[in-house]
Amino acid sequence: MVLLNILDKYCLPKGYINAVCVGRKKELSALENAFQSHDSSFIPIYGRRRVGKSELIKNFIKNKKALYFLGKQAPARLQIREFLRNGALAFQQPLLEQASVDGWQRAISLVIEQVSAGEKIVLVMDKFQWTVGASPELPSVLQSFIDNGWKDGCKVCLIVCGSYLGFMEKRVLGEKSPLFGRRAGQIFLKPFSYLEAGKFHPKWSETYKAKVFSICGGIPYYLNFFSQTDSIDVNIRNNFLNEFSALAREPEFLLREELKELKKYFGILTALSTGAVTNREIARITGIDERALFYYLNTLIELGYIIKHYPLTGAKVNPKQVRYKLHDPLLRFWFRFIYPNGSAIYQMDEKSSFLNLIKPHLDAYYGTGYETLCREALSRLYQKEELTCAYEIGEYWDKDIQIDIVGYRQDGVIDICECKWGTISSMPQLLKELNSKISAYPNKDNKTIHGRLFLRSRRKQPSSHSVRTHFISDIYRLD
């Protein structure tokens, strides 16, 4: 019998695809192995919002005796009361809800007392960062249960889950945490790959799949809102320009749950979405002092929404060369097209808004997204080519050139790659551009440099043996 509390519900779109049907097999297997072990176990699960953590857990606890508790931004007393209410429902012990307790230690003890000797249960504490925000002592309370045993003859598979990466890494996984060294494993749940994301829309062409990946990334919740029966353009209109749609204000709701001083964060994300990449550029656009900017950027990094990166040369990174990038495609799309045009979108109808404010700039937007996809594809190409050495994949830039993709390998080879989403007017000219970038790359270790082209449109392959060409149809067959 499946024993669950009332789980948080989303208004799911027609044709919804369960993320576990697309991937997450390794993660489910890891959880199942922990549950099947003879001992109690502790598994932290973390990852950015909407990546599918709760859905993974819900699928895992099907047909298991389980108590699922969803933390919230509420006083500790109210959360403890809800925890006991959920326990009463899960273990069919109505009197548990009426118990008078003075903290988490007693509340958890009362729940565990309802478990029979020889039984193993799953105890899930989701959105753990919010519960700990109201009850800072909770990690120490859980430590005492893990160290001293939950109850004679009773085994517990404890799962704590959170979306604030910085919190989970410091307060749960970090060496200063009371829970440090007690986990049986951990799951950092990442967005789906471009190939897995494509499985949400199996009838679409590779070009359509790449377009929706540029907007939704590998986030299953977002991918499910794009209907295969409509074009990408119609999906954009329906999901972003209709004020009543789920995604129209999704970034605003998402950020309000996690952040204060929203104006400053909105300013930073808008600056990043329009091409600002350095501290100085972001500070100039937002008006935030450059010294104070670090705090806001670091918070967005800890939430998994932006990343910082450096030119890839194999040398030690130079902090002065750091750049910031919006890592979340939906935020990049929303802050590029929706947020800055809010007044105009409100005044115009959906079709006019799309044709005038979004459509003219979409190809350039898709081109940037295609570069991200191709960086991921290069790693899969290395696997297909049976590359056995270590490697890094990144970018390179200086004041004169920008190289889309650099594959820095430990076998004495560097791959310099050019991505082209648009129409290729001249293959010889494209090869000339690639060769000029190869010549300009600072190859201080005198490694062998190979060129690669990632093209959307299929063209005749260049005769040069030192250049490999990969078309979008090829990289979608790398599964």
Side-chain angles (χ1 to χ4, degrees):
M1 177 178 177
V2 182
L3 300 170
L4 304 174
N5 77 312
I6 300 172
L7 304 180
D8 56 327
K9 299 291 184 182
Y10 296 126
C11 181
L12 299 175
K14 184 179 179 181
Y16 170 81
I17 295 176
N18 190 319
V20 176
C21 298
V22 172
R24 310 307 193 206
K25 301 297 186 295
K26 290 181 179 179
E27 291 85 353
L28 278 173
S29 178
L31 289 171
E32 194 62 43
N33 289 338
F35 182 77
Q36 294 299 334
S37 68
H38 296 297
D39 300 318
S40 292
S41 54
F42 165 47
I43 306 286
I45 300 176
Y46 64 115
R48 54 144 293 169
R49 291 289 307 279
R50 303 299 202 200
V51 79
K53 302 181 298 299
S54 298
E55 189 168 37
L56 172 70
I57 293 168
K58 293 172 193 178
N59 277 273
F60 166 64
I61 60 179
K62 283 180 181 177
N63 305 315
K64 293 179 175 66
K65 196 165 188 177
L67 169 56
Y68 177 103
F69 174 73
L70 183 68
K72 51 181 55 63
Q73 293 175 317
R77 182 171 295 183
L78 292 180
Q79 296 202 61
I80 291 171
R81 178 56 52 199
E82 183 178 341
F83 178 79
L84 290 172
R85 184 164 57 249
N86 292 348
L89 290 170
F91 301 121
Q92 299 180 330
Q93 298 289 337
L95 292 179
L96 190 59
E97 185 177 356
Q98 308 303 322
S100 177
V101 300
D102 58 1
W104 279 103
Q105 183 83 34
R106 182 59 180 153
I108 295 172
S109 294
L110 282 175
V111 167
I112 297 303
E113 286 172 9
Q114 312 309 313
V115 182
S116 302
E119 280 192 302
K120 189 164 191 177
I121 67 162
V122 183
L123 174 57
V124 179
M125 305 197 81
D126 202 351
K127 300 198 184 300
F128 191 59
Q129 70 272 16
W130 288 351
T131 308
V132 173
S135 303
E137 78 283 359
L138 184 55
S140 295
V141 170
L142 293 174
Q143 175 203 357
S144 70
F145 281 105
I146 294 170
D147 290 353
N148 301 319
W150 295 85
K151 175 190 170 184
D152 290 343
C154 164
K155 303 298 181 184
V156 176
C157 177
L158 171 65
I159 296 173
V160 301
C161 180
S163 58
Y164 198 136
L165 306 188
F167 169 87
M168 292 296 289
E169 289 169 349
K170 294 172 186 173
R171 300 290 297 276
V172 177
L173 300 170
E175 61 182 18
K176 293 183 179 180
S177 167
L179 296 169
F180 178 72
R182 288 161 177 83
R183 64 188 186 275
Q186 67 284 319
I187 295 174
F188 176 36
L189 201 63
K190 298 178 181 179
F192 283 126
S193 69
Y194 74 92
L195 290 174
E196 291 169 320
K199 294 177 182 178
F200 282 81
H201 307 98
K203 297 179 182 178
W204 273 354
S205 68
E206 290 88 359
T207 294
Y208 262 35
K209 290 177 181 178
K211 285 181 176 181
V212 77
F213 188 72
S214 293
I215 298 170
C216 300
I219 303 300
Y221 179 70
Y222 302 153
L223 290 163
N224 265 307
F225 280 100
F226 274 64
S227 170
Q228 281 193 121
T229 59
D230 295 320
S231 68
I232 296 292
D233 290 359
V234 170
N235 270 292
I236 291 173
R237 286 165 47 187
N238 291 344
N239 285 303
F240 295 101
L241 301 179
N242 176 350
E243 63 177 309
F244 304 111
S245 64
L247 299 184
R249 297 181 66 188
E250 162 72 3
E252 185 178 348
F253 294 143
L254 202 65
L255 296 171
R256 282 187 186 279
E257 284 190 356
E258 304 281 9
L259 302 168
K260 299 176 182 178
E261 299 185 272
L262 278 182
K263 288 182 180 179
K264 291 182 178 179
Y265 287 107
F266 274 43
I268 291 168
L269 292 168
T270 301
L272 288 167
S273 71
T274 53
V277 294
T278 66
N279 280 314
R280 182 168 297 179
E281 290 171 342
I282 298 168
R284 178 179 55 80
I285 293 171
T286 61
I288 302 172
D289 183 83
E290 215 172 318
R291 291 167 295 181
L293 189 60
F294 173 79
Y295 168 79
Y296 300 103
L297 291 170
N298 194 56
T299 300
L300 290 169
I301 290 170
E302 290 186 340
L303 285 168
Y305 296 148
I306 72 173
I307 58 172
K308 60 180 178 180
H309 58 134
Y310 303 86
L312 178 56
T313 63
K316 185 178 179 180
V317 299
N318 181 352
K320 293 182 179 180
Q321 293 180 297
V322 66
R323 285 186 176 182
Y324 295 89
K325 180 190 296 187
L326 242 174
H327 189 52
D328 181 281
L330 193 94
L331 290 182
R332 190 167 69 89
F333 182 88
W334 195 81
F335 279 100
R336 171 66 180 84
F337 296 114
I338 309 303
Y339 180 66
N341 296 311
S343 298
I345 289 171
Y346 181 78
Q347 294 171 351
M348 302 163 71
D349 60 71
E350 294 170 17
K351 185 176 181 180
S352 298
S353 296
F354 176 75
L355 291 176
N356 289 283
L357 303 174
I358 299 177
K359 182 73 171 177
H361 313 288
L362 267 181
D363 252 11
Y365 176 87
Y366 290 143
T368 303
Y370 188 53
E371 291 174 12
T372 301
L373 188 155
C374 292
R375 287 186 199 103
E376 188 179 319
L378 181 58
S379 181
R380 292 183 177 273
L381 283 166
Y382 284 160
Q383 294 175 33
K384 183 181 178 182
E385 295 164 6
E386 298 182 347
L387 189 69
T388 57
C389 66
Y391 59 85
E392 288 183 76
I393 295 175
E395 305 166 61
Y396 176 78
W397 63 85
D398 58 31
K399 62 184 179 63
D400 298 316
I401 61 164
Q402 169 74 43
I403 298 176
D404 298 335
I405 305 176
V406 175
Y408 196 92
R409 299 157 43 169
Q410 296 302 318
D411 62 352
V413 173
I414 300 171
D415 286 306
I416 301 295
C417 314
E418 182 80 0
C419 302
K420 288 296 180 184
W421 174 260
T423 303
I424 307 301
S425 57
S426 169
M427 184 62 82
Q429 180 60 34
L430 181 60
L431 286 172
K432 184 178 179 181
E433 292 174 12
L434 177 61
N435 286 326
S436 69
K437 292 182 177 182
I438 289 173
S439 300
Y441 181 78
N443 184 12
K444 296 178 181 179
D445 295 328
N446 199 29
K447 293 193 174 190
T448 301
I449 297 184
H450 292 162
R452 293 181 189 253
L453 296 173
F454 288 89
L455 310 179
R456 177 166 64 105
S457 305
R458 186 166 287 278
R459 296 292 301 268
K460 183 179 179 181
Q461 300 250 11
S463 57
S464 173
H465 295 296
S466 62
V467 176
R468 295 186 180 186
T469 306
H470 310 285
F471 301 103
I472 192 170
S473 55
D474 300 327
I475 62 179
Y476 268 96
R477 287 199 291 264
L478 291 171
D479 204 352

